[in-house]
Amino acid sequence: MMPRRIVILGAGFGGLTTALELARRLRREPRAEVLLLDAHNFHLFSPMLHEVTSGSVEPRHVVWPIRGLGRRTRFTFERRQVRAIDLNARKIATDRDEIGYEYLVIALGSTTNYYGVRGAAERTFAFKTLPDAVRLRNHILEMFEQAVDERDPERRRRLLTFVLVGAGCTGVELATELHDLARRTLVRHYPVLAAGEVRIVLAEATGRIIPCVSDQLAALGLTKLREKGIEVRLHAPVVAVGDGLVEFQDGEKLTTDTVIWTAGVKATPVVEALPVEKDKLGRVIVNEHLEIPPFPGVFAIGDAAHSRDSRLQDALPPTAQVAMQQARAVAHNIARDLRGRTKEPFTYRHRGDLVSLGIGDGVGEIAGLAFSGLPAWLLWRSVFLAKLVGWKNRIRVALDWLVGAFFERDVAKLEW
Ligand SMILES: Cc1cc2nc3c(=O)[nH]c(=O)nc-3n(C[C@H](O)[C@H](O)[C@H](O)COP(=O)(O)OP(=O)(O)OC[C@H]3O[C@@H](n4cnc5c(N)ncnc54)[C@H](O)[C@@H]3O)c2cc1C
């Protein structure tokens, strides 16, 4: 009998969790075959990317090789760049071959959304991948190296001004981490530069920061950022990014050699090209079973999907927490369907959110309880350490943090 093939696209939070859950649930189901595809042979733990940029955590410690996981469980991994999905023919076109499926889980994540802002895609630093984090780190170190030799005060100011666009969790966590790196470590290595010369500007189009937490915690976070000296600009949409400058809607122009885009995400081109109903971000609209109508057995989860939440009266946010819960629900329903049982609707259970605000500081909510300052930061570290894939990485990150508590961050600019 032909095996019943379940293909999962993307080995991020949603895809990898689906593969692991299916492998567990289908242990005694020899007719089912699980195939996981991704363009990279590793899983990236993106919530720690800002620590990679600041040098608190080593790049290799936030990635996990997928082939090692597949060897121990019951799924096959193949490295493939997915080019297109033919939902009618039930086939996936990849850079190497065409793959058929009986069940399909689309977990291809998202890509940076520049909202059509002039010059943003060409002239800003994206912050989504491991190379993005390392590239940004090298650039920041390069700015300090150049600033040391720069005699022209205007040019020096431009080199030491760092602008982040978008004050969601990613923008805020990165801004505070850059603040710690620049003001606590780099100025000690470059004594001719004064801490006050480093300017970190966080521009936000709306009237509040970190939308994932309550209004009170967001306001507290804002106060904390401003106390640290981070210049937060609310109601300040960026309308253009030029060569060495960023332009705001009110006409103000700020000169800088560093603009980091943390303003939002949209669907990847493969998902955007699907001939089904999508939202304005290009994400496919899924039903209560996370299936794409009218294609039974084809699911979309995580950042690739628009899944409505009755509590929010809106789409679920693009977070790892959502992707992983959806992955478990999809694995559960595929296993039920294979056994001839009816599928069950997905219900999202929000566990909370934690935002790190640099060393020893944070804000967040867990199970309805609010935290701030050191307790929030310690919770952030404990929760995310526990969520890292693999004990080897948990130990390596814990050791990175331990070393960071006693020694300065490494400021070597590694380039080959
Ligand atoms: C810097 C940063 C910090 C974040 N911090 C948090 C946080 O603190 N908490 C939180 O809950 N969420 C956080 N998020 C969001 C979270 O990472 C995403 O919501 C989550 O990764 C979505 O999971 P996913 O499975 O949908 O996609 P992803 O985890 O992004 O996985 C998508 C996978 O698809 C692969 N892929 C994409 N296109 C193709 C293709 N054409 N062919 C083959 N493979 C492809 C990619 O290589 C990737 O492995 C953060 C994101 C970033 C960028």
Side-chain angles (χ1 to χ4, degrees):
M1 195 190 290
M2 282 285 282
R4 306 185 70 179
R5 184 184 271 175
I6 306 157
V7 178
I8 304 163
L9 307 182
F13 284 97
L16 185 60
T17 308
T18 311
L20 292 170
E21 276 292 309
L22 279 172
R24 189 176 68 79
R25 285 171 192 273
L26 301 178
R27 261 197 312 262
R28 279 182 271 283
E29 190 70 59
R31 291 175 309 136
E33 166 190 290
V34 181
L35 175 62
L36 176 63
L37 308 179
D38 198 290
H40 304 103
N41 74 350
F42 59 79
H43 167 81
L44 170 67
F45 193 78
S46 36
M48 283 183 188
L49 273 187
H50 60 283
E51 299 216 51
V52 170
T53 294
S54 71
S56 299
V57 170
E58 284 301 313
R60 272 193 310 125
H61 300 176
V62 299
V63 296
W64 190 267
I66 303 158
R67 288 180 191 279
L69 289 167
R71 208 177 55 225
R72 289 199 298 272
T73 54
R74 249 200 77 228
F75 68 80
T76 309
F77 171 74
E78 284 176 11
R79 196 186 64 178
R80 294 278 189 284
Q81 178 78 39
V82 176
R83 298 239 195 267
I85 304 165
D86 186 338
L87 292 170
N88 293 309
R90 297 185 94 79
K91 285 207 166 86
I92 299 142
T94 76
D95 53 345
R96 300 255 296 278
D97 44 18
E98 229 180 38
I99 296 168
Y101 60 84
E102 180 170 342
Y103 294 91
L104 177 67
V105 183
I106 302 171
L108 290 170
S110 53
T111 182
T112 304
N113 191 349
Y114 296 101
Y115 301 100
V117 170
R118 199 164 15 102
E122 303 80 27
R123 296 198 180 93
T124 66
F125 286 87
F127 198 68
K128 265 205 78 64
T129 66
L130 194 59
D132 287 344
V134 175
R135 203 175 301 123
L136 178 60
R137 171 180 169 75
N138 281 337
H139 171 82
I140 291 163
L141 296 173
E142 179 62 29
M143 293 299 97
F144 274 76
E145 288 296 340
Q146 289 186 24
V148 169
D149 296 325
E150 186 57 63
R151 296 285 161 262
D152 174 3
E154 181 49 42
R155 172 88 193 114
R156 187 150 139 167
R157 215 176 353 262
R158 174 173 149 172
L159 288 166
L160 294 177
T161 297
F162 302 94
V163 179
L164 295 98
V165 184
C169 292
T170 303
V172 165
E173 290 190 333
L174 183 58
T176 49
E177 204 66 22
L178 288 186
H179 167 270
D180 284 354
L181 171 69
R183 299 251 171 102
R184 289 182 185 216
T185 310
L186 288 174
V187 288
R188 280 201 239 158
H189 286 258
Y190 302 88
V192 294
L193 304 175
E197 283 187 87
V198 181
R199 187 174 175 198
I200 297 173
V201 180
L202 182 57
E204 168 56 43
T206 70
R208 62 163 284 178
I209 63 167
I210 33 181
C212 55
V213 298
S214 68
D215 289 349
Q216 289 93 320
L217 280 179
L220 179 62
L222 179 63
T223 309
K224 283 172 176 284
L225 294 188
R226 287 185 167 151
E227 278 170 5
K228 287 174 200 284
I230 295 171
E231 209 179 298
V232 186
R233 296 180 172 207
L234 300 178
H235 302 291
V238 166
V239 291
V241 183
D243 192 13
L245 64 86
V246 55
E247 191 181 332
F248 293 94
Q249 195 174 48
D250 62 6
E252 189 194 343
K253 292 187 177 124
L254 212 142
T255 53
T256 173
D257 280 345
T258 314
V259 185
I260 307 159
W261 198 264
T262 53
V265 293
K266 61 175 185 158
T268 56
V270 172
V271 171
E272 226 172 1
L274 288 173
V276 294
E277 202 187 341
K278 282 161 287 178
D279 67 8
K280 62 182 190 315
L281 298 175
R283 300 176 298 184
V284 290
I285 297 179
V286 291
N287 65 17
E288 74 275 21
H289 301 125
L290 306 170
E291 274 176 318
I292 306 177
F295 297 97
V298 178
F299 302 83
I301 57 172
D303 289 9
H306 173 120
S307 159
R308 243 188 115 67
D309 180 58
S310 50
R311 184 183 57 98
L312 291 174
Q313 290 297 311
D314 200 354
L316 288 170
T319 66
Q321 193 178 166
V322 169
M324 290 170 81
Q325 285 190 33
Q326 291 178 329
R328 288 187 198 104
V330 164
H332 173 73
N333 274 335
I334 291 177
R336 283 182 72 85
D337 203 57
L338 279 168
R339 289 170 189 138
R341 302 201 189 130
T342 54
K343 289 176 227 135
E344 291 174 349
F346 167 69
T347 313
Y348 174 64
R349 289 194 176 78
H350 189 65
R351 312 250 186 259
D353 282 293
L354 291 163
V355 184
S356 152
L357 298 177
I359 304 249
D361 207 356
V363 288
E365 292 151 327
I366 289 199
L369 296 173
F371 298 89
S372 67
L374 186 62
W377 182 73
L378 290 173
L379 262 173
W380 186 94
R381 284 208 152 178
S382 328
V383 168
F384 283 97
L385 192 65
K387 290 201 176 298
L388 261 173
V389 179
W391 274 103
K392 186 168 86 179
N393 274 3
R394 285 183 205 132
I395 292 167
R396 296 202 293 190
V397 167
L399 287 175
D400 284 343
W401 285 343
L402 185 68
V403 170
F406 294 101
F407 300 95
E408 269 187 348
R409 290 164 207 226
D410 184 3
V411 298
K413 180 177 168 229
L414 297 180
E415 278 177 317
W416 290 273

